[in-house]
Each structure stands twice: as structure tokens, then as C-alpha cells.
Amino acid sequence: MSALGRAHAWLRAAFGRRAAERDMKDEMTEHLARATERFRARGMDTHEAMLAARREFGNVAVIEEAAREARGGRWIETTLGDLRHAVRHFARAPLMAATIVLTLTLGVGVSSAAFGIVSGLLTRPAPGVPDDKSLVAIRGIGTDDGQRTARGFSYPELMEYAGRPEFSAVAGWTESVVVAELDGQEAGTAYLQFVTPNLFSTLGLRLTAGAGFGQRKTGDHAEPELSAIIGHSFALRQFGTAASAVGRTLKVNGVTVVIVGVAPARFLSAFGDGEVLTLWMPVSAWPVVDQLTGAFTNRAIGSFSAVARLRDGVGVRQAVPAVELVASRAAAALPAATPRECKAPPCATSGAFTADVVPLRGDVRFKSSRAEDIQVVALISALVLLILLVCTTTVSSLLVGAAVTRRHEIAVRLALGASRGRIVRQLLTETTLLSVAAGAAGLVVYALVYRALRDGLEDADVGPTWATAMMTAVFAIVASILCGLSPALHATRDALAGVLKDSARSATVRSRLQRAFVVAQIALTQPLLVMLAMMIAVVAREGERGVNRRGVNRELSEHVVRANFETWAAVNQGDNRLPAVMERLSALPGVVAVVPQVNGYRVLSIEVPTNGASASRRFEARTQQVPPGYFKAMGIRLLQGRDLIESDSAAPATPIVVGSDFAALAFGGINPVGRRLTRPALDRGRRLGEVEIVGVVSAEDVGPDAEGSAVRIFTPMGGALAVPTPGPDALLIRTRTPAAPMIATFRDIARAEAPMIPVRSMQTLAQMERETRAEIIEATGASAVGGMITLFLASIGLYAVVALAVNQRQREIGVRISLGARPGQVVALFFRSGLRVSLVGLLLGVPLSAAAWKIVTLQLRVPPTNMPLIAAAVMLSVVAVASIASWLPARRAAGADPLEALRSS
């Protein structure tokens, strides 16, 4: 049956039911009339006869209700009636309805947003990539010391995957960072992907403008095609429109290329990673731009990622054995190597590598452990659950208070024959109506916020979808049940006689259920506030580290520039020009020193002997590699011992320099210089020998490390503790005067001396600190707003409890004041009542707060020493808000006119 036919049948049935109801009423009226005539014939007057006829016939409303239920389809009319009744009820109490809707908007909206974000990160493709079940990612998996790690594919291995019959298409890409120039001006560091020509067609993407590459087939690479497809945001920023970009030229690492297309909006890569300035070039241009030899034949050059489209009828499980076979062949073709000899994978180690196939959704990149993702999801889920529970308990306490004031209405309806289930359904309908309105409002707010922030969310598509809308409806229904069921059952439990004995305003009905909801609300508020406060503590701690975490004297922050370079491509090509850059920069007037740096670090666990050699203490630290003369150049005072020297990198016991705070913590007043320490690295638990302390520097100058630890360890470059990198990839440039005006000159020198080494960033340490502090303020502000909203919700429930008590006990208040009670005594009476409720909630919330502290400590690495301060601040905040929420209605009660109170009771 068509939709029109079903609508027509429903209308006929509806009109049929109305006609049947009219016939039923006419029949009942006729029956009562005849019964009335029969009783009149027995000598009764007309009024007595009518009453006798009604008693004989029974309750007309109940009989009509039973007839409607027996006829079926009554639920539609009763639901519409319940909705009309709910609308009329909330129209009489708009303030309460608005409060409930706003509260549930927060709870349901946050729940929906969290679902959208988590599902976007875990189950949706990257932005711009179609949600196609046939699209998969081929992942390389290596083995190193028994642990599975990610690996890239060589070009020959990629071509073998492309030849498998399980796939209708296979595409791959390798990444590079290059210097882009447009119209003779440097556009900046660009994120470049050398792709097989079929990448966009394999993903099912259509270019916004342009025809795309001239080469089309997967394996086209015989002749270099110097063309590029640029990102949509980059095209709009540089050319105004996408169409205007096509046909223009730009230089990539000094090579002139033609723009032949503009990528779809928001597309950065198949995995979602990339930057605004993103380019795609055919893989045939790879050897020209990156100046490589043997790129298409050397199986040891393995940096490709791969996506594929499954053939019809082939699933992921059928494709996995095929890629495992290809991977085993690729591993067999490589020379054997030990893990230490394998500096640049792929290479065949003691554990041969393999590959697998996964759907192209979420973060498909291989990870050795999913524990971190699980912790993040658990933390988000805990926060959302707490917010939802706080909101629902707030609404429940309001509904219980409203139900107490409606006791007479409900009792009269029960007396007229309505069943308890019917009244409960009516009350649940009212709550559901508000929850659905709140869910719709929360979804709209989420969509508006996402639209405002969408351009900044480049890595994932976390906007609302139909699945998010469905989950919002589920959250709304769950919230309505959580909020409304207990109040509805509570409102319909009293007998009619007991209710009618009380007047509407003089009854002192103490709602224990409402107080229980408020206690639960305050108990749940505590752990939520603890989690938010600990997040603020983490963010504030990061901000306080500022410049000092970079191991540079704070007073020199305006005089030191940190320049980060992308050196790996140049080093692999044997064209590392960074020393030439250092030489030119050092010769500039006003430059005091230029010091190379390595961005990587090692995490070590150092054992310090105590009580002779019978016991030891263990300290964990991140190392920082520094060259000779580093401390003097960066204004760091050497308190004891000596600086690092060139020969330290070859010493049998690796020399290290430590901070004075670590020296005092580990050795007390003993001079640590010359002490040798056992050094088990946290690099898969291998012990790497000993270290010898050769110097102590001022902790005030270097500050804590990036994790806030006082254990600062400086190691020589190129020694046993060095990070396995090709070489330095950053420079610290110290100047005599503030360095900001000289940054443009530094960039020009770096570009002239090392055109193949892109500059990632170049800022003074003071600029970096200001940016960090701005982010800190933004993050702490958001968390603080969340905390204030949570406290406000807690105050609503407590205010409702005290206000209800004041409203019910107006006669008592009038009598007390008439008998000489002072206003302060009345205030104290209700204030103590509200405060008792809040204190009970605080005590019950202590275990929950401890559990929240454990969760956040494990996830965000908050120092345990912060817990007493955070707990005290949270408890004082809750008590303060509870006091205000109790005092306001108590003060109103004390100011009441006793005559008015006695007259209205």
C-alpha cells in the first residue's frame, strides 16, 4: 500500500471511531433514560431516579474508556490527549518547563556531541572520503624485538598489491615536506604527497576544478609529470576561487610545476592527516623533486601507504591472506639485518614483517597498543555519564516537587476512575515532551557549534549525522525515563482520603524522594567537578612550564629564536646544508650563538644507590641532547663540575649533566660529580650500561622538563644515549637584542643556504610561550564554564527542595512569627535543612571523587600532590553554592507577612 493509501485508511478509521463513539454515547444515554423512567414508575422523583439509574449502570467514563480500549487504536488518541494536557500544564508553569528543558539540553546535547565525536573518530572515513564499504586500507606491520610496529611499503611491493585479483584498484602515496613558492614569493612549508595517478579515482573523489593528472594508470612513472593538485583551502586562500588556480604555476623545492586540479573541500588525505597547504603530485615526479635514485626499484626505500577498493563479492577476510602472501615475498627479497642494523625500515629483522586489510574508517593506522584510545574513550564516557546523571537528577528533583503540588489534581483524577498506570503514562508523556524538545535543542546547538568550528577540524569528520540524531532520540527517551518514572510513581502512591484531608498550601508533605535526588545530584557533582578541576590543573601546569621546559634561561626568552627544520629528506639525499646555515647565522652582527638541537628524546629510568650499595632509588627522566658550549650560550649557570665536550660521545660511561634540584633530591648535600649510576633505559627494558655525572647546572635556569619532572638530564649528541635520528633538526639562535625583528633575516638565510630543507617554524621562545598561554587560557576558560554550569545545576535542585518546604510550611511559619520567632531563627531553620542535605551528598560523593581522581591521574598524569588541594576547593565550592541555594528561599520565608500566611492556609 502506498503512503497516500495508508493515510486514507487511517483517516477513514479515525472518522469511523468518532462515529462509533457517537453511537456509543447515544446508546448509553438511551439506556440511562429508560432506567430513569423505570425508577420513576416505582415512585421516585426525577432526581432520585437519575441517581439510581447511574448507580445501576456504573461509572460512565470508565465504561467509555474500557470500550475504547476494546475497540483498539485508542493509543493514538490518548497520546495526543496526553500531549495536549502536557502543553497546557507547562503553559501554566513556563519557568519550570524552561528550566527543565535547558537542563536536559545540556545533558542530552553533551551526550549526543560525545557520541558524534567518538563515532566520527572511530567509525567514519576521513573528511572528504566517501563512506564506501568497498574501500579498505592495506597496512604494513613489522616486528621489532617481539613487538608489532607500523611499516611502510616499497614501490615494488605496492605494485604487487595492485596486481592482486582481490582488488579492483590499489593506490598509494608517500609523504614529503617541501618549500613552496608562488609568484616568486615563498608560500611556506608545504605538505606534499607523491601519489599513484589513480588515487582520487580509487577513493571515488571528483576534483572541485581541473582535469587532474595526465597520467592515469597505477604504475605510470616512466616519464616525470611535473603537475600538482592543490588543496581546496589553499586554492581559496591564494587565488580566491578554485577555478582560478587551474593553470597557474608554483615552485616545489625549486622545481616548477603546473596546477592541474583542486581537491574536494576538506580532503587532506585518505587517513585524514595533512595541513592547509597540501599538494598532490604524481609519483613519477618523486625522484625529481626529492632528488632520489632507485626510488621505483629499491625495496629498501619503504615509505608508501596504500588504500584499495575490493572487487565485488570479496570481503576483508578474503583479502587478508593475499596481502600476507605479498608481504612475505617482500620480506624474503630483503637482506637479513638485526634490529640495530635496521636504521631505515623496511628490512628483514629476526621477526619478518607482514600486512593486513581493514575498512577505511576511523584511524586505520596501525598501532601496537590500543590502550591509550580505550583510556580516552573511557574518560569521555565517564564525563558524559556524570553530566547526564547530574542533569537527570536535577530534573527529577524538580519533577518530584511539582508532583507534590499536584497531589490534589492527581487524586481527583484517580477518584474519577483513571487508573494509576494511566496517570503515570500522562506524567511520563510530559517528561518525554520536554526531553524531546531538549534533545532537538541540544542537537541544533551541536550542529551550530560544529559548523562554526568545522574548518579547524581537519583530521576527522565529527559533525552530526542521522546516526547522531537517532542516538539523540535514544538519549532523550532514556533521560525522560530516568527523570520521570520515579516522580510519577511517587505522585500516584497516596490514597485519595489522605490527600483530600490536606489543603493545597498547608500540608507539610516531606518528599524524601526529592531529597534523595538532591543528595544524589550533589554526590555526582563532586567527581564531575574533580575531573574538570584536574583538567584545569593539567592545562595550568603546562602553561607554567612556559619557556623553561626548553632548557633555556627564562630571562633570555625574547633573545632566543627556535628554528625547526624538516631535515630527513635532505639527510637521506646526502645534502644536509644545516651546518652552512649555522655558519651564516653565526656571522650575523648581533648573533651571540647558534646551537643545534634534536627534537627527539629518550625516556630513562636511572637508579641512584642509597645506604651504600644495598638499595637504590629510581628516577624517570627525559633526556635532552646538547652540544659542547650549550650552557654558556643559553645563559645557564654551571654550579659544579664541567661542561660536556666533544669526546664525551665516545666515552665508555656516558657523561651527563644534571639539574641542581635532581642533585639535591638524589644525593642530598653530597657532591654528585663523578658518581656513576646504573642506567636501565625504558627502551624495551634493555640495560645500556652506566652514566657518569660530570656537571650540575642551575635548576632555576633550566626549569622542569616537558613532563614537569625535576629530573633534568643533559646528554652529549651522538653518544649512546642519543636519539636515533639523522642529525640535528632545530637551531637555537641567541641574539644580543630582542630577536623578533631578525626572524625574517634568519628565514632568508636558511632559504638561501638550504633550499631543500623546509623551515617548519621559527619563533622566539617568548612568542611560543605567549601562544601556549593563550591556549591555556582558552582551555581553562572552557573547563571553568563547565564547572560553573555544574555548580548551577547542583544549586537548582537544592533550591527547589528548600523552596518546596517553605511553600508547604507557610502556616507553620506564620504561627512561629506570630508567637515571637525572630526572622533569623526562621532563616536558620530552613538553612540548616538545606545544608544537611548538601553535607550528606558531599560525604557520599567522596568515594566517587576518589575514583574520578584515579581515572584522570592515569590518563592525564596529574601529580598526586594536587589531589588534597583540588578536593578541598571542590568541597568548599559545593558548600558555598549549597549555602546560597538554601539561604535564598529561607530568607524569603522569614520576610513573609504572618497574617497573609495564616489567611491563605
Side-chain angles (χ1 to χ4, degrees), residues 143-149 339 602 681-687:
T143 306
D144 188 3
D145 282 358
Q147 295 192 5
R148 289 156 63 89
T149 58
R602 260 188 197 274
L682 296 185
D683 183 9
R684 300 181 178 86
R686 294 197 300 264
R687 288 184 176 269

Side-chain angles (χ1 to χ4, degrees), residues 109-331:
V110 168
S111 303
S112 302
F115 172 80
I117 292 171
V118 172
S119 64
L121 294 174
L122 301 180
T123 64
R124 299 184 204 169
V129 177
D131 190 1
D132 192 333
K133 294 182 179 179
S134 65
L135 286 176
V136 295
I138 305 175
R139 305 186 304 182
I141 304 172
T143 306
D144 188 3
D145 282 358
Q147 295 192 5
R148 289 156 63 89
T149 58
R151 71 174 181 90
F153 304 124
S154 65
Y155 187 80
E157 184 180 358
L158 178 66
M159 292 300 101
E160 290 188 44
Y161 291 124
R164 293 297 309 181
E166 290 81 5
F167 305 115
S168 60
V170 174
W173 69 95
T174 184
E175 302 167 356
S176 182
V177 180
V178 297
V179 176
E181 294 179 74
L182 185 64
D183 297 330
Q185 299 294 323
E186 183 176 340
T189 300
Y191 180 80
L192 175 60
Q193 298 178 36
F194 295 105
V195 302
T196 55
N198 66 332
L199 175 68
F200 289 91
S201 61
T202 299
L203 293 174
L205 299 176
R206 297 183 61 183
L207 299 180
T208 303
F213 303 131
Q215 296 173 343
R216 300 290 182 179
K217 297 181 180 179
T218 307
D220 284 348
H221 66 268
E223 294 293 332
E225 180 184 344
L226 300 180
S227 61
I229 295 173
I230 66 173
H232 189 267
S233 298
F234 178 52
L236 296 183
R237 188 179 70 182
Q238 293 291 336
F239 305 104
T241 63
S244 301
V246 178
R248 302 289 293 271
T249 62
L250 54 83
K251 286 188 176 182
V252 178
N253 281 357
V255 178
T256 301
V257 300
V258 179
I259 300 174
V260 296
V262 177
R266 301 195 68 213
F267 176 74
L268 296 177
S269 79
F271 295 164
D273 49 357
E275 298 177 6
V276 174
L277 212 171
T278 300
L279 309 172
W280 294 266
M281 293 186 67
V283 72
S284 60
W286 184 26
V288 178
V289 176
D290 271 0
Q291 299 182 7
L292 292 174
T293 58
F296 302 118
T297 57
N298 190 347
R299 288 184 175 271
I301 302 177
S303 56
F304 277 89
S305 302
V307 294
R309 185 175 291 274
L310 297 171
R311 288 193 183 277
D312 294 339
V314 178
V316 171
R317 292 185 178 180
Q318 290 84 356
V320 170
V323 299
E324 289 178 345
L325 177 62
V326 173
S328 64
R329 292 175 180 170

Side-chain angles (χ1 to χ4, degrees), residues 282-512:
V283 72
S284 60
W286 184 26
V288 178
V289 176
D290 271 0
Q291 299 182 7
L292 292 174
T293 58
F296 302 118
T297 57
N298 190 347
R299 288 184 175 271
I301 302 177
S303 56
F304 277 89
S305 302
V307 294
R309 185 175 291 274
L310 297 171
R311 288 193 183 277
D312 294 339
V314 178
V316 171
R317 292 185 178 180
Q318 290 84 356
V320 170
V323 299
E324 289 178 345
L325 177 62
V326 173
S328 64
R329 292 175 180 170
L334 291 174
T338 65
R340 289 181 178 273
E341 296 169 341
C342 183
K343 298 296 184 182
C347 54
T349 64
S350 56
F353 53 64
T354 183
D356 67 357
V357 178
V358 294
L360 191 59
R361 291 186 180 88
D363 188 358
V364 300
R365 288 164 293 194
F366 179 81
K367 295 182 180 179
S368 57
S369 174
R370 293 287 179 179
E372 184 176 345
D373 291 345
I374 294 174
Q375 288 177 352
V376 171
V377 172
L379 181 61
I380 294 175
S381 302
L383 276 171
V384 169
L385 180 61
L386 283 174
I387 292 173
L388 186 61
L389 289 176
V390 168
C391 293
T392 53
T393 50
T394 300
V395 172
S396 296
S397 64
L398 293 175
L399 290 175
V400 171
V404 171
T405 61
R406 298 173 66 185
R407 295 169 66 241
H408 288 73
E409 172 197 339
I410 295 171
V412 170
R413 294 184 66 186
L414 291 172
L416 292 176
S419 64
R420 186 185 185 191
R422 181 72 181 79
I423 302 298
V424 169
R425 188 177 68 181
Q426 167 65 49
L427 297 177
L428 284 178
T429 301
E430 295 175 1
T431 311
T432 303
L433 179 64
L434 296 180
S435 299
V436 170
L443 192 62
V444 169
V445 172
Y446 172 36
L448 293 176
V449 172
Y450 170 73
R451 177 180 287 274
L453 302 178
R454 181 176 57 185
D455 292 339
L457 301 173
E458 299 173 350
D459 294 343
D461 185 4
V462 295
T465 61
W466 283 111
T468 310
M470 293 177 63
M471 285 305 301
T472 302
V474 172
F475 286 134
I477 293 172
V478 170
S480 67
I481 294 174
L482 289 175
C483 296
L485 186 58
S486 293
L489 294 175
H490 176 75
T492 57
R493 69 175 183 174
D494 294 331
L496 175 64
V499 174
L500 295 181
K501 286 179 182 178
D502 301 322
S503 67
R505 299 178 64 85
S506 64
T508 30
V509 181
R510 296 180 179 271
S511 177
R512 295 180 180 177

Side-chain angles (χ1 to χ4, degrees), residues 626-638:
V626 297
Y630 168 81
F631 302 110
K632 181 179 180 180
M634 293 298 112
I636 299 172
R637 291 170 292 171
L638 188 66

Side-chain angles (χ1 to χ4, degrees), residues 506-541:
S506 64
T508 30
V509 181
R510 296 180 179 271
S511 177
R512 295 180 180 177
L513 181 62
Q514 187 183 28
R515 292 176 179 269
F517 276 128
V518 174
V519 168
Q521 178 190 7
I522 295 176
L524 293 170
T525 297
Q526 273 185 271
L528 181 58
L529 288 174
V530 166
M531 297 177 80
L532 291 173
M534 294 180 75
M535 291 180 182
I536 293 176
V538 171
V539 175
R541 183 191 64 180

